[in-house]
Amino acid sequence: MRYWEGESTAVWERKWNVPYLEIHESLPSTNDRARELARERAIPFSVVIAEAQTAGKGRAGKRWDSPAGMGLWLSFLLTSRSQREPVLVPILAGLAVARAIEALCSGSEPKIKWPNDIELDGRKVAGILCEGEGTGTLVVGIGVNVRQAEEDFDRILQGRAISLEGAGYFVERGEFICALFSEVHRFLDPLPKFLDESLRREFECRDTLIGRMVSTDTGLQGRAMGISSDGALILEVDGILSAIRAGSVRVNSAQSKKQT
Ligand code: BTN
């Protein structure tokens, strides 16, 4: 598409401070298109947006519903120089999304569920899928539910997913991406080698798991204690600290947060 939300792609490129931008009416997945661009040696921070995705991908092989015009479905490229970055990038991208929501949705308090589900009012409003492409390039895919009403979500997601509008926040998508890329440049450009104390604090003040008993998808149960400098979730299991570096966790039912 040459025009989107009333402006040309050239104008959006400038406003978002990105070197290359493609906006499509529909794609199977913006991550797949971004991976193609990576193989064609596109430059870091090149961006792909689709109004609709026909095969949107979520984490752990799940599908990601991406109806036309209802959300922001976008991917961008990053250069990765070390083995550690693939763990840090989802955390940093999650922070960027949470801060963009805070910037545009006055009074909102988005939370981050490790590693990078973004929640509003306890429901998922945005998700991130990072994929490597060959050596040295990462694709960061971000999906933000913007306009869906409750009944627009798949039945299985009703009560668990929410859109910005559903939570009472009306945003211009172009402006949202402007805020998002300002945060993306702040957190991911250049990529830090580890999460220093101030980055860990940024995460932990939005961390929805901290102090709660959680279970990992491998069956480990423990209390969430925050994150380590390499982005791992720290669990206290029978008095011993364990670092969880992959997969996802769920909060055990019927328990409240420990007072800290
Ligand atoms: C999750 O499961 O939470 C991750 C969801 C990621 C969805 C986004 S939408 C844009 C990009 N393209 C995809 O196919 N997936 C990501």
Side-chain angles (χ1 to χ4, degrees):
M1 289 163 75
R2 302 273 309 269
Y3 282 84
W4 183 77
E5 301 281 88
E7 300 281 8
S8 69
T9 49
V11 167
W12 289 126
E13 269 176 12
R14 259 200 318 278
K15 283 193 173 167
W16 302 339
N17 188 20
V18 298
Y20 176 75
L21 170 65
E22 281 184 3
I23 305 184
H24 298 259
E25 197 76 54
S26 175
L27 280 176
S29 156
T30 55
N31 268 30
D32 291 350
R33 175 63 192 140
R35 292 176 76 159
E36 275 173 21
L37 288 178
R39 291 194 287 275
E40 291 160 16
R41 307 211 174 283
I43 30 182
F45 298 99
S46 294
V47 178
V48 179
I49 295 179
E51 275 295 84
Q53 295 184 117
T54 53
K57 300 187 288 185
R59 293 181 71 229
K62 295 190 184 138
R63 88 191 151 88
W64 180 264
D65 281 342
S66 321
M70 292 280 189
L72 283 171
W73 325 126
L74 68 88
S75 304
F76 64 91
L77 298 181
L78 270 186
T79 307
S80 148
R81 271 166 254 101
S82 89
Q83 290 295 316
R84 287 168 151 238
E85 285 159 0
V87 190
L88 295 186
V89 168
I91 303 264
L92 294 165
L95 270 176
V97 174
R99 286 186 57 108
I101 293 175
E102 286 160 11
L104 286 191
C105 305
S106 164
S108 68
E109 291 188 1
K111 300 283 179 209
I112 308 177
K113 178 171 169 284
W114 184 90
N116 56 15
D117 283 354
I118 313 299
E119 298 182 346
L120 272 180
D121 303 336
R123 298 179 182 195
K124 183 156 166 175
V125 69
I128 293 158
L129 175 67
C130 297
E131 298 183 292
E133 177 53 51
T135 48
T137 306
L138 283 177
V139 169
V140 182
I142 298 179
V144 184
N145 298 321
V146 177
R147 295 188 177 135
Q148 295 98 323
E150 185 71 5
E151 60 273 16
D152 293 321
F153 289 108
D154 200 284
R155 277 186 67 162
I156 201 158
L157 294 177
Q158 289 181 10
R160 292 167 47 201
I162 197 165
S163 69
L164 296 176
E165 283 197 15
Y169 304 107
F170 294 82
V171 301
E172 296 284 340
R173 290 184 303 164
E175 260 186 60
F176 186 90
I177 299 181
C178 197
L180 176 65
F181 273 98
S182 135
E183 300 295 343
V184 161
H185 286 298
R186 172 189 151 133
F187 285 109
L188 296 156
D189 186 15
L191 269 176
K193 290 197 169 37
F194 61 93
L195 302 174
D196 63 14
E197 204 185 320
S198 105
L199 285 170
R200 287 205 303 278
R201 234 182 289 123
E202 288 267 2
F203 186 90
E204 285 174 9
C205 69
R206 299 172 179 87
D207 183 352
T208 188
L209 297 179
I210 203 154
R212 290 178 139 165
M213 289 298 293
V214 302
S215 303
T216 68
D217 42 19
T218 56
L220 198 64
Q221 296 205 28
R223 193 173 294 281
M225 306 299 285
I227 57 172
S228 65
S229 60
D230 65 358
L233 174 69
I234 307 296
L235 286 193
E236 187 190 81
V237 184
D238 300 329
I240 295 169
L241 297 183
S242 284
I244 310 300
R245 292 201 162 73
S248 55
V249 295
R250 63 178 172 75
V251 177
N252 293 358
S253 50
Q255 47 105 35
S256 57
K257 274 192 168 188
K258 186 182 181 181
Q259 296 299 311
T260 48

